[in-house]
Amino acid sequence: LKFDKLDFAVICALALAVVAYLKLDVLKELFAADDSALAVQSSSRDIVEVLRENKKDYLVVYASQTGTGEDYAKKFAKELAAKYSLNVMCVDVENYDFDNLNSLPKDVIVSFFVSTYGEGDLPDGGLEFEEWLQVLEEGDLGNVRYTMFGLGNSTYEFYNGAAEKTQKLLKQAGARMLGTFGKADDGAGTTDEDYMAWKDDILEELKDALALHEKEVSFISSYEYKVLPQDLMGSISLGEPNSQYLPGKTLAKKENMQLGPFDATHPYVAPITSTKELFKKKDRNCIHVEFDLSGSNLKYSTGDHLGVWPSNPDEKVEKFLTTFGLDPTTIFDLKPKDITIKPPFPVPTTIGAAVRYYLEISGPVSRQVIGSLLQYVTEEQLKERLQALSKNKEKYAKEITSKCMDLADALLYLSSGKKWTQVPWEFLIETVPHMQPRYYSISSSSSSDKQTVHITAVVENYPNPEVSSLGPVTGVTTNLLRHIHLTRTKEDIAASSLPVHYNLAGPRDLYQNYKLPVHVRRSTFRLPSNPSTPVIMVGPGTGVAPFRGFIRERISFLKNQENVKLGKHLLFYGCRDDADFLYHDEWPVYAKELGSSFELMVAYSRIPNKKKVYVQDHLLERENEVLELINKGAFIYVCGDAKGMSQDVHRTLIDILRRGKNISEEESSEILKQFKTTGKYQEDVW
Ligand code: FAD
């Protein structure tokens, strides 16, 4: 075997590439290891070994995509510990190997919390676990007793599909389920109540199975909590997305230092290079935002999602701190009591930073949280009030949920304005949900807009439906985007009726000059690879976002190819009237570029004195053509509202197929199901 110089050079280059690749991982590991949040990784990955080493007597395992499953798993673990003094190990399925699960001590029960993602799939972190379950044989888990709680959305075809799949595989391997199979339905907005009902049933079951005795609930922190001296202020986290942005660390040192890989645990602080108000009337807002990814090495494909990391507005931060009598400048540290627990956010940090950047303080408050606060109430009347509310879901819905109260609102309402300074901060850290990124369907094309990602966000801001004195109900991220837009374009903020205001500069001015942490999340929403395949797109409101990306993609493709025949691209769009017609000026330009292969149908639902028209009405109007395109192999895409629109569109398509092919409703619905399985019918709904 002979090597010439070229071979040698190629081998060296390959070797370097491998080293570089490995190094990326090593670097990432190093960064992660440096993050005290990941201390647990130093231990074995064998779930049973870690459980034994840490003398745990109950196991909670979660597979969570956006953090909701994790929140419920942790809540459940906390309650088991507080009520029954169980020593619970609560873990992310991703971090452990389960090969020895069957050798769990016989009085240890496993509670699974499984979220469904995509087409009935387990979250990314659960895929290895699923693969392991699939190769098990009957009897392999004969000693395992478990409970199952799934988090899903009934507006999707594969409702709670991941939990169903996990449950089936566990059962096949001989594991025995205790109690009922809990299923939370986000589509019906009942996740919290579904959890409460399931949990009450399961706790009874566990009391019997483990001979547990209930004691008065008292919060036991999972961390050693320590207040640190103020002179540390220069080096601690002030709300940075992770430790790499802290003073002295690589990303903080150098502007535009692009040390990735950036992902959901390590977002990239991206400059916002353009913003635009898309609505023409002042009463509602929709912001187009462009993030510059150049140099970050972040890549996206047309149809992906962008995760945007928000922070809480001043008004809500202030209200929360005042309600609980917290000093925002207090520096604290959290040391996990054992290696199976990790701090929920970068520490040490200040109370102010944690409230602003790491906790979800403004969303609806759950009945369970109100119940868990009973331990801090001594006044009899207030105690009775809390007890009555925490036990009665109808009463709770009427008094708290329907008024869109957040935690501070609800508590001040219950105590008639008296502060809750007796509630320890450690309790709030472990009880209030942690801030999650919000996802947006990318509205640009990775072919035409390689370095920039566009999103189209409708601003959540509406009057409180019942108590106007509580102020408007506002979304965290979308009002932040609007605040950035108004400031960038030098509009008069005071005159803009912006309901909440943010610290746009961010921790240590990290977000100054309009930046926000983002990451790209892969989706399966993709144009057919053959450009001559016809495409039917249905996207009212901001559901049009990915279709703007699709159309820009096709234009870019045409520019780079000669003699290509594009299939028909039919877009069904819906809006109230011309004032909220998104990208009104762009569509004619796109139509000019694409000629007869592109057509936009606009359904208006609020034109005075005119019948309301919706996207599904236009689908029906074009029934014959829709059918013809489907017969020619068209791909169908639906994006936007999961509750009403996507189901109406689905029903309309069933009808169109049924009539057109002269088949039964079951048969046409089966065809659509097949289309979904083969990727010819794709939904991106929320
Ligand atoms: P949040 O703070 O998350 O609040 C959510 C809602 O609850 C708001 O309506 C808010 O007003 C309300 N609320 C706040 N506090 C309370 C309370 N105490 N009680 C009751 N209600 C309360 N959105 C888009 O605009 N464009 C897109 O392209 C888009 N694509 C998406 C793609 C995917 C895959 C997903 C999952 C979602 C997508 N969304 C999109 C929705 C988006 O992720 C956000 O949910 C949305 O922008 C609201 O975020 P927010 O932080 O402003 O509101």
Side-chain angles (χ1 to χ4, degrees):
L1 197 66
K2 266 188 175 172
F3 289 107
D4 62 16
K5 271 187 190 157
L6 188 65
D7 290 334
F8 188 68
V10 170
I11 288 168
C12 285
L14 277 173
L16 275 174
V18 171
V19 170
Y21 175 77
L22 290 177
K23 243 187 155 160
L24 263 188
D25 266 5
V26 172
L27 275 175
K28 207 182 159 199
E29 283 268 304
L30 268 178
F31 286 170
D34 175 56
D35 214 329
S36 53
L38 296 179
V40 67
Q41 291 194 345
S42 62
S43 160
S44 158
R45 276 187 60 93
D46 183 314
I47 191 88
V48 178
E49 194 182 325
V50 179
L51 181 117
R52 284 183 194 277
E53 267 174 13
N54 290 279
K55 302 194 175 43
K56 299 286 182 180
D57 49 23
Y58 198 97
L59 184 57
V60 176
V61 178
Y62 60 84
S64 177
Q65 187 75 26
T66 58
T68 313
E70 178 177 348
D71 270 345
Y72 281 97
K74 286 184 171 163
K75 247 190 231 179
F76 184 67
K78 277 247 131 292
E79 189 162 350
L80 288 181
K83 261 193 184 153
Y84 306 109
S85 306
L86 283 167
N87 197 2
V88 187
M89 172 161 152
C90 179
V91 297
D92 186 340
V93 68
E94 182 174 27
N95 295 336
Y96 290 88
D97 296 331
F98 289 78
D99 300 333
N100 294 326
L101 191 64
N102 205 37
S103 61
L104 267 183
K106 88 174 180 330
D107 50 356
V108 172
I109 292 172
V110 195
S111 286
F112 288 102
F113 286 76
V114 180
S115 297
T116 295
Y117 178 61
E119 306 289 300
D121 303 320
L122 264 88
D124 298 341
L127 297 181
E128 215 173 285
F129 175 67
E130 184 189 349
E131 275 170 26
W132 170 75
L133 279 177
Q134 272 162 346
V135 295
L136 293 182
E137 294 186 357
E138 202 182 326
D140 279 354
L141 295 181
N143 295 328
V144 174
R145 287 181 300 165
Y146 69 97
T147 70
M148 177 65 70
F149 188 73
L151 295 108
N153 185 321
S154 64
T155 55
Y156 288 84
E157 174 96 27
F158 305 95
Y159 171 51
N160 260 308
E164 294 271 9
K165 202 169 3 182
T166 311
Q167 138 75 2
K168 196 168 137 212
L169 293 170
L170 285 166
K171 193 172 163 200
Q172 271 170 13
R176 187 160 65 84
M177 189 172 83
L178 298 180
T180 48
F181 183 165
K183 284 181 196 157
D185 184 1
D186 192 35
T190 54
T191 300
D192 213 55
E193 290 303 337
D194 297 332
Y195 166 71
M196 298 280 277
W198 171 81
K199 183 205 69 178
D200 289 346
D201 172 64
I202 289 296
L203 290 186
E204 287 306 313
E205 199 74 35
L206 293 182
K207 266 199 263 180
D208 286 348
L210 299 174
L212 300 174
H213 296 288
E214 191 169 335
K215 61 176 178 85
E216 190 138 318
V217 174
S218 66
F219 169 73
I220 302 164
S221 176
S222 309
Y223 309 99
E224 306 283 354
Y225 174 80
K226 213 161 130 192
V227 173
L228 301 180
Q230 286 290 315
D231 57 7
L232 288 174
M233 196 64 92
S235 58
I236 59 161
S237 163
L238 292 183
E240 283 85 352
N242 66 35
S243 62
Q244 280 318 300
Y245 291 99
L246 294 185
K249 292 293 172 68
T250 351
L251 289 170
K253 263 192 245 161
K254 207 163 162 185
E255 180 95 347
N256 278 334
M257 171 82 201
Q258 314 298 335
L259 243 187
F262 296 100
D263 56 28
T265 57
H266 184 31
Y268 172 62
V269 177
I272 292 173
T273 47
S274 177
T275 56
K276 194 175 169 192
E277 170 64 73
L278 295 173
F279 285 172
K280 294 197 178 74
K281 271 196 210 146
K282 294 229 159 20
D283 56 342
R284 289 172 68 228
N285 306 91
C286 183
I287 314 290
H288 170 87
V289 186
E290 300 187 5
F291 293 92
D292 181 6
L293 300 184
S294 51
S296 70
N297 233 347
L298 266 178
K299 301 262 182 303
Y300 77 98
S301 299
T302 310
D304 279 344
H305 301 138
L306 189 75
V308 178
W309 296 62
S311 53
N312 287 309
D314 301 339
E315 292 83 349
K316 305 265 180 181
V317 170
E318 193 51 44
K319 185 173 68 181
F320 189 91
L321 293 169
T322 318
T323 303
F324 295 104
L326 296 166
D327 174 2
T329 62
T330 304
I331 300 177
F332 68 94
D333 196 12
L334 299 172
K335 287 267 177 282
K337 286 190 178 154
D338 66 61
I339 61 155
T340 66
I341 301 160
K342 49 183 189 171
F345 42 73
V347 281
T349 186
T350 64
I351 291 182
V355 172
R356 185 179 292 275
Y357 294 102
Y358 303 137
L359 299 184
E360 291 276 1
I361 56 172
S362 61
V365 48
S366 85
R367 193 155 61 90
Q368 185 175 12
V369 169
I370 295 296
S372 66
L373 278 157
L374 264 166
Q375 58 186 305
Y376 303 113
V377 178
T378 44
E379 197 203 315
E380 245 354 276
Q381 225 179 348
L382 183 56
K383 210 170 195 165
E384 274 167 28
R385 237 178 142 191
L386 248 70
Q387 230 146 12
L389 275 178
S390 68
K391 291 222 162 76
N392 185 333
K393 75 172 179 184
E394 284 76 27
K395 189 174 166 58
Y396 188 78
K398 190 159 173 267
E399 269 192 60
I400 307 290
T401 317
S402 68
K403 294 173 186 156
C404 293
M405 289 180 174
D406 58 29
L407 181 60
D409 291 332
L411 293 186
L412 292 175
Y413 160 75
L414 290 169
S415 64
S416 309
K418 198 162 165 268
K419 288 183 190 167
W420 288 69
T421 49
Q422 75 277 28
V423 179
W425 167 235
E426 297 98 295
F427 169 86
L428 294 170
I429 294 173
E430 292 186 59
T431 307
V432 178
H434 300 136
M435 187 71 100
Q436 299 294 336
R438 308 303 200 262
Y439 290 96
Y440 294 89
S441 303
I442 292 176
S443 54
S444 49
S445 144
S446 53
S447 303
S448 65
D449 320 283
K450 286 193 180 61
Q451 305 295 339
T452 52
V453 176
H454 305 181
I455 61 166
T456 314
V458 71
V459 179
E460 299 288 338
N461 172 19
Y462 48 87
N464 189 298
E466 297 209 3
V467 191
S468 57
S469 60
L470 286 173
V473 186
T474 54
V476 176
T477 319
T478 47
N479 285 284
L480 167 62
L481 293 173
R482 181 161 176 244
H483 192 179
I484 291 176
H485 164 69
L486 293 171
T487 314
R488 264 195 88 250
T489 50
K490 304 199 170 25
E491 286 184 45
D492 183 349
I493 304 273
S496 70
S497 67
L498 184 70
V500 282
H501 302 79
Y502 296 79
N503 169 10
L504 299 187
R508 295 195 172 86
D509 293 343
L510 187 62
Y511 309 155
Q512 207 163 41
N513 298 324
Y514 316 113
K515 298 191 195 93
L516 279 182
V518 299
H519 74 276
V520 172
R521 185 169 83 180
R522 303 266 158 248
S523 88
T524 50
F525 212 63
R526 294 283 184 269
L527 272 169
S529 48
N530 183 348
S532 62
T533 305
V535 170
I536 299 167
M537 296 164 279
V538 187
T542 46
V544 81
F547 303 135
R548 176 179 181 267
F550 278 10
I551 295 301
R552 290 165 79 88
E553 177 86 10
R554 285 305 191 222
I555 292 170
S556 163
F557 178 80
L558 277 192
K559 279 187 180 150
N560 296 316
Q561 304 282 326
E562 273 169 29
N563 302 324
V564 183
K565 178 109 183 59
L566 213 56
K568 180 85 181 180
H569 285 61
L570 195 50
L571 171 56
F572 293 92
Y573 172 64
C575 52
R576 293 182 181 180
D577 51 33
D578 272 337
D580 66 351
F581 188 159
L582 295 176
Y583 302 111
H584 189 273
D585 305 336
E586 294 186 13
W587 302 111
V589 182
Y590 300 151
K592 214 165 166 189
E593 300 267 4
L594 294 178
S596 61
S597 58
F598 173 58
E599 199 180 336
L600 172 70
M601 298 280 293
V602 186
Y604 291 104
S605 64
R606 290 208 198 162
I607 302 278
N609 307 321
K610 287 218 170 139
K611 191 174 158 264
K612 290 176 192 284
V613 183
Y614 297 104
V615 278
Q616 60 271 26
D617 298 325
H618 275 170
L619 271 172
L620 272 182
E621 211 174 276
R622 302 288 287 265
E623 174 161 0
N624 291 339
E625 192 178 353
V626 167
L627 188 70
E628 194 186 318
L629 293 177
I630 292 178
N631 286 337
K632 280 187 189 158
F635 274 44
I636 306 165
Y637 300 86
V638 183
C639 181
D641 167 36
K643 290 190 184 94
M645 181 276 297
S646 71
Q647 291 176 8
D648 290 342
V649 167
H650 186 254
R651 268 191 296 275
T652 307
L653 288 169
I654 289 181
D655 277 350
I656 292 178
L657 282 176
R658 181 178 56 78
R659 276 194 294 272
K661 291 184 182 286
N662 203 9
I663 51 178
S664 70
E665 194 169 314
E666 286 72 40
E667 284 167 318
S668 57
S669 114
E670 189 51 39
I671 294 180
L672 285 183
K673 205 168 178 179
Q674 282 298 320
F675 281 3
K676 277 195 181 173
T677 314
T678 54
K680 275 177 72 177
Y681 181 9
Q682 301 180 28
E683 287 181 323
D684 184 20
V685 290
W686 59 86

